[in-house]
Amino acid sequence: MEILELTATALAEQVRSKQLSAVEVARAYLARIAELDPILHAYITVDADGALEAARAIDARLARGEDVGALAGVPIALKDIFVTRGLRTTCGSRILADWVPPYEGMPSARLRAAGAVVLGKANMDEFAMGSSNENSAFGACRNPWDIERVPGGSSGGSAAAVAARLCLGALGTDTGGSIRQPAALCGAVGIKPTYGRVSRYGVIAFASSLDQVGPLARTTEDAAALLEVIAGHDPLDATSLPQPVGRYREACRRGVRGLRIGVPAEYFAAGLDPEIEGAVRAAIDELVGQGAELVEISLPHTKYAIATYYLLCTAEASSNLARYDGVRFGMRAARPQDLGDLYSRTRHDGFGPEVKRRIILGTFALSAGYYDAYYAKGQRVRTLIRQDFSQAFERCDAIVVPTSPITAFKLGERLDDPLQMYLADIYTISCNLAGLPGLSLPCGFSSQGLPIGLQVLGRPLGEEQVFAVAGAYEQAHDWHRRVPEVRR
Amino acid sequence: MKISPEQVQRVGELARLQLSSEETLALAAQLSRLVAHFEQLDELDTSAVEPTSHVLPLACPQRSDVTRPSLARALLLSPAPLHEDGYFVVPKIID
């Protein structure tokens, strides 16, 4: 079990110094997957052969004296939204059930170039639409702390795999909380960086003005190490930012003395589980005890964030998902009568209920007669939400709030009521609307033994301050060291 | 605003998405409820607010217009449900 307990940075050091071989590491993780994934279903595709081949190549290069990179031998799960050359990429959808991409996306290419070993493709809500992972066409993923409960979503498989030691780190995507919310519900660390910080080349698009790639890991320092590798400008993504990548690992040890921590009253309102409120307030006290200055702030448009977010993300999704038409890739309906029938029946057969709901909602919000009342209105309110944050950040350096108002809920419990499901995203979506970095890390457990997440938000490109706050809290606690005992 | 099953059908046609009658009925009820929630945005006077076009001040980047090698045609065609002689195949659209 010792291999499975090493952090990514420690493991890479041991592989580089040949105390451990990358093949040994890959075998240890593949054995753990074989044992537990039939229960958890954190993976859609496990690539045992590919992982062992990559691990052997790393060991061979080390034997020749080559430098294999900062993540030498680190076993990784990729959310199945990341395009992988020669390895099936489904995005959790029937419509891509058999798609084997002809190219590799940038985030995974950068991980591989740094020596990471890809174990497989993690489970997710179809096209990243969901907060419970129950919208996967390949079956729900389970929460390792209680298999009757959801892992969160949409990067539920990535978070469950990290928490259950079925990988050492993972990549997810976050459009409205899809990295941070499952990280909170599974007891992992997850960061959504600033919009544009990580290239989205080869990342299947959901809502392009909101989507961002980020890592999930067991510690803030591991998340920082992964982000240092995947962040940075990419000429193949016109929205990627040219600014240099920060020193995230170093920032984790910087401390919070003198940092101003903003706490908005709007994030401690009705609907917040009292146990979560207690844990988050205790975390804020801890940061103040370490020398941070507490600043009360206000984000007055928070209550409009859900409506704004779901108008904009569905409109963008309805446009992005137009490409799944049964012509160039993916499934095609049998015996089409004509081209229109081919399109509309392929999409009827290929998409699940939540994806259909969002396509219809988004197409409605963009359609003639409704555009100004819904889509354009949403873009204006988005400006107000962004202004809330820019005013708040004149008075503070980071904002500390809960990640989710609830802990992991039971499978099926919220499935019949889309609005209830959407409302649970209240604390994560504003960060996407404003393009800010946001990180979730464990800050306690509920009386039922379920993880609680603490969220740290920063200014645009303020990842270093976010890591400083998260790192300072983490070093004073051992929540992140607890390992779930997966029980059937 | 209440959304009728006929409206859902019409939007489904715009989205090239066939919907069964059960799906249409369920979506009409769900969308009515969601749109009613969205209408809380009407409380805000946004007449003087600029809509967001990009979250961060990023100038539209440009690259020089040079040709670069792309993936091979056969490789790009390989995931298609049907292809022939270097083309994607679809049902006949002109008589």
Side-chain angles (χ1 to χ4, degrees):
Chain A
M1 278 295 135
E2 203 178 307
I3 290 179
L4 298 179
E5 289 314 307
L6 290 169
T7 64
T9 43
L11 183 136
E13 198 41 58
Q14 293 207 14
V15 170
R16 269 201 303 268
S17 60
K18 296 181 203 152
Q19 294 168 63
L20 261 181
S21 75
V23 168
E24 262 179 286
V25 174
R27 287 216 171 101
Y29 275 89
L30 289 167
R32 176 95 174 160
I33 291 171
E35 181 195 343
L36 291 183
D37 204 51
I39 304 169
L40 295 173
H41 200 28
Y43 284 89
I44 290 176
T45 305
V46 176
D47 184 23
D49 293 344
L52 288 169
E53 194 185 314
R56 273 192 289 270
I58 286 162
D59 289 334
R61 287 175 54 198
L62 281 165
R64 291 196 297 268
E66 292 175 29
D67 178 19
V68 293
L71 300 176
V74 174
I76 295 287
L78 299 173
K79 184 180 187 179
D80 209 10
I81 201 167
F82 292 95
V83 171
T84 44
R85 188 176 61 205
L87 180 59
R88 181 174 80 134
T89 300
T90 70
C91 214
S93 183
R94 255 169 68 80
I95 212 162
L96 289 177
D98 301 310
W99 185 47
V100 178
Y103 71 106
E104 182 85 11
M106 191 55 76
S108 54
R110 285 187 175 167
L111 283 183
R112 290 181 203 268
V117 170
V118 173
L119 296 171
K121 309 297 290 289
N123 206 343
M124 59 182 286
D125 285 298
E126 183 177 5
F127 285 103
M129 297 178 188
S131 312
S132 69
N133 213 114
E134 292 169 292
N135 298 328
S136 168
F138 300 88
C141 169
R142 310 272 176 153
N143 191 310
W145 296 93
D146 178 352
I147 63 165
E148 299 304 316
R149 292 176 187 271
V150 303
S154 66
S155 310
S158 299
V162 166
R165 274 65 176 151
L166 305 186
C167 64
L168 186 41
L171 290 192
T173 57
D174 190 315
T175 305
S178 281
I179 289 172
R180 292 160 288 152
Q181 186 256 16
L185 270 49
C186 288
V189 178
I191 178 168
K192 180 204 92 76
T194 305
Y195 180 79
R197 183 67 291 182
V198 179
S199 169
R200 295 179 299 172
Y201 176 74
V203 184
I204 295 174
F206 159 17
S208 302
S209 82
L210 302 156
D211 296 343
Q212 182 55 204
V213 173
L216 295 100
R218 287 180 217 157
T219 67
T220 52
E221 194 183 350
D222 278 1
L226 290 168
L227 185 58
E228 284 182 7
V229 167
I230 61 172
H233 183 249
D234 174 11
L236 296 175
D237 176 357
T239 62
S240 83
L241 297 169
Q243 284 85 349
V245 175
R247 300 164 69 103
Y248 309 136
R249 281 179 65 186
E250 186 199 289
C252 291
R253 299 190 198 125
R254 218 172 268 172
V256 288
R257 187 155 299 282
L259 271 188
R260 297 166 303 166
I261 307 275
V263 178
E266 292 86 355
Y267 280 61
F268 295 86
L272 175 60
D273 178 336
E275 284 191 310
I276 296 177
E277 172 161 9
V280 170
R281 292 215 185 264
I284 293 166
D285 290 344
E286 164 71 39
L287 292 166
V288 171
Q290 290 189 35
E293 182 194 336
L294 181 73
V295 182
E296 284 180 22
I297 57 164
S298 177
L299 300 167
H301 294 93
T302 299
K303 67 181 262 206
Y304 302 105
I306 299 266
T308 305
Y309 172 79
Y310 277 96
L311 274 171
L312 299 179
C313 84
T314 57
E316 294 184 30
S318 78
S319 169
N320 269 328
L321 269 59
R323 73 192 62 177
Y324 304 99
D325 58 6
V327 175
R328 290 155 301 150
F329 45 78
M331 65 169 272
R332 170 184 285 199
R335 292 177 298 281
Q337 289 170 0
D338 54 37
L339 191 59
D341 184 52
L342 184 153
Y343 292 153
S344 65
R345 223 150 36 78
T346 295
R347 291 159 65 78
H348 170 271
D349 297 349
F351 291 137
E354 181 64 25
V355 173
K356 288 179 185 171
R357 186 149 51 232
R358 295 200 192 188
I359 289 175
I360 295 294
L361 189 51
T363 305
F364 169 77
L366 289 173
S367 63
Y370 299 106
Y371 179 91
D372 286 326
Y374 294 109
Y375 181 76
K377 182 82 182 183
Q379 290 287 43
R380 288 177 205 278
V381 180
R382 184 176 190 176
T383 301
L384 297 174
I385 291 168
R386 288 168 51 217
Q387 286 170 353
D388 281 358
F389 280 103
S390 50
Q391 281 160 14
F393 279 120
E394 284 170 14
R395 300 179 48 229
C396 65
D397 303 300
I399 295 174
V400 176
V401 291
T403 309
S404 165
I406 49 175
T407 51
F409 47 94
K410 293 217 160 124
L411 286 148
E413 196 176 284
R414 291 174 168 243
L415 215 46
D416 296 332
D417 189 346
L419 184 57
Q420 270 323 103
M421 192 75 103
Y422 297 171
L423 291 176
D425 299 341
I426 180 69
Y427 298 144
T428 48
I429 50 184
S430 297
C431 166
N432 301 77
L433 289 168
L436 311 172
L439 178 149
S440 181
L441 79 161
C443 73
F445 285 82
S446 73
S447 49
Q448 289 178 296
L450 299 169
I452 295 173
L454 178 74
Q455 187 177 207
V456 186
L457 306 175
R459 293 189 187 97
L461 291 173
E463 279 83 359
E464 289 187 8
Q465 283 96 326
V466 169
F467 277 115
V469 173
Y473 176 78
E474 189 182 76
Q475 57 83 28
H477 292 276
D478 65 355
W479 309 118
H480 63 285
R481 292 205 181 85
R482 291 204 195 172
V483 185
E485 194 186 319
V486 179
R487 277 185 292 241
R488 251 177 235 272
Chain B
M1 195 179 99
K2 202 162 155 41
I3 294 175
S4 67
E6 292 71 32
Q7 273 177 295
V8 171
Q9 273 296 330
R10 170 77 191 122
V11 173
E13 285 160 23
L14 291 174
R16 298 284 185 271
L17 174 57
Q18 191 184 90
L19 298 168
S20 69
S21 47
E22 298 84 61
E23 284 174 328
T24 305
L25 284 175
L27 282 168
Q30 290 164 351
L31 261 56
S32 296
R33 206 164 152 239
L34 290 168
V35 168
H37 179 78
F38 296 163
E39 280 165 358
Q40 66 162 288
L41 297 188
D42 296 341
E43 294 168 16
L44 296 169
D45 177 6
T46 52
S47 50
V49 181
E50 277 291 307
T52 293
S53 55
H54 197 289
V55 285
L56 301 173
L58 183 72
C60 193
Q62 296 188 328
R63 59 168 169 79
S64 44
D65 187 16
V66 286
T67 51
R68 286 175 305 147
S70 61
L71 293 176
R73 178 192 274 194
L75 199 61
L76 288 168
L77 283 167
S78 65
L82 210 55
H83 63 92
E84 198 179 300
D85 300 334
Y87 293 95
F88 298 109
V89 177
V90 294
K92 200 168 159 182
I93 48 171
I94 305 167
D95 281 322

